[in-house]
Amino acid sequence: MVQHTALLDASFAALSDPTRRGVLEQLGRSDASITDLAQRFHMTLTGMKKHVSVLEAAGLVVTKKVGRVRTCKLGRRQMAEEAAWIERYQQLWAARFEALDEIVEELKQQEKTDERDAK
């Protein structure tokens, strides 16, 4: 459970940054070197290395160094645990909104009944 929570924390922390989400989108299209990613996102090599290391720590990206080039690609994790966590809350909120809709409908019906009785 602790490892599971730590993994979720690392994933959501990694996904909280728009640059890191952009890197994941880019890597979903094709593998790229850190230099290429830095150029695409108009940032320094050092800055991009930090973003990639956060994504790598979350297991969302893997890197491999060949010669002087470090290439990044999507990790094997497919964020299934994160999606399941979000889905649980989505279901909870859907049930709450459905209950709210029922209350609103009952109030509308009561209002119509009160208007007819007042006439």
Side-chain angles (χ1 to χ4, degrees):
M1 184 66 179
V2 171
Q3 185 179 7
H4 174 74
T5 300
L7 193 57
L8 282 178
D9 290 348
S11 293
F12 286 122
L15 295 171
S16 69
D17 184 274
T19 299
R20 291 192 287 264
R21 291 192 303 271
V23 167
L24 289 176
E25 285 181 30
Q26 179 60 42
L27 294 178
R29 290 188 284 274
S30 66
D31 299 351
S33 70
I34 291 178
T35 302
D36 290 341
L37 291 170
Q39 289 172 349
R40 286 188 183 140
F41 289 90
H42 308 288
M43 63 181 4
T44 64
L45 194 57
T46 303
M48 183 52 71
K49 283 180 182 175
K50 288 180 182 177
H51 283 298
V52 169
S53 69
V54 171
L55 291 166
E56 198 169 19
L60 301 173
V61 168
V62 293
T63 64
K64 181 178 181 182
K65 188 170 186 179
V66 177
R68 297 180 59 177
V69 177
R70 182 167 293 280
T71 303
C72 306
K73 65 179 183 179
L74 290 179
R76 292 185 175 192
R77 292 193 54 235
Q78 297 180 1
M79 292 191 274
E81 293 174 30
E82 293 81 354
W85 187 89
I86 291 169
E87 176 65 23
R88 282 195 303 271
Y89 285 95
Q90 187 175 21
Q91 289 175 0
L92 174 72
W93 281 104
R96 288 181 176 180
F97 282 125
E98 190 173 304
L100 181 62
D101 285 344
E102 289 175 13
I103 291 170
V104 169
E105 191 60 38
E106 287 176 19
L107 291 173
K108 284 181 180 178
Q109 293 298 325
Q110 184 63 44
E111 191 175 280
K112 286 180 183 177
T113 302
D114 291 347
E115 286 176 3
R116 276 185 281 171
D117 292 345
K119 290 181 183 179

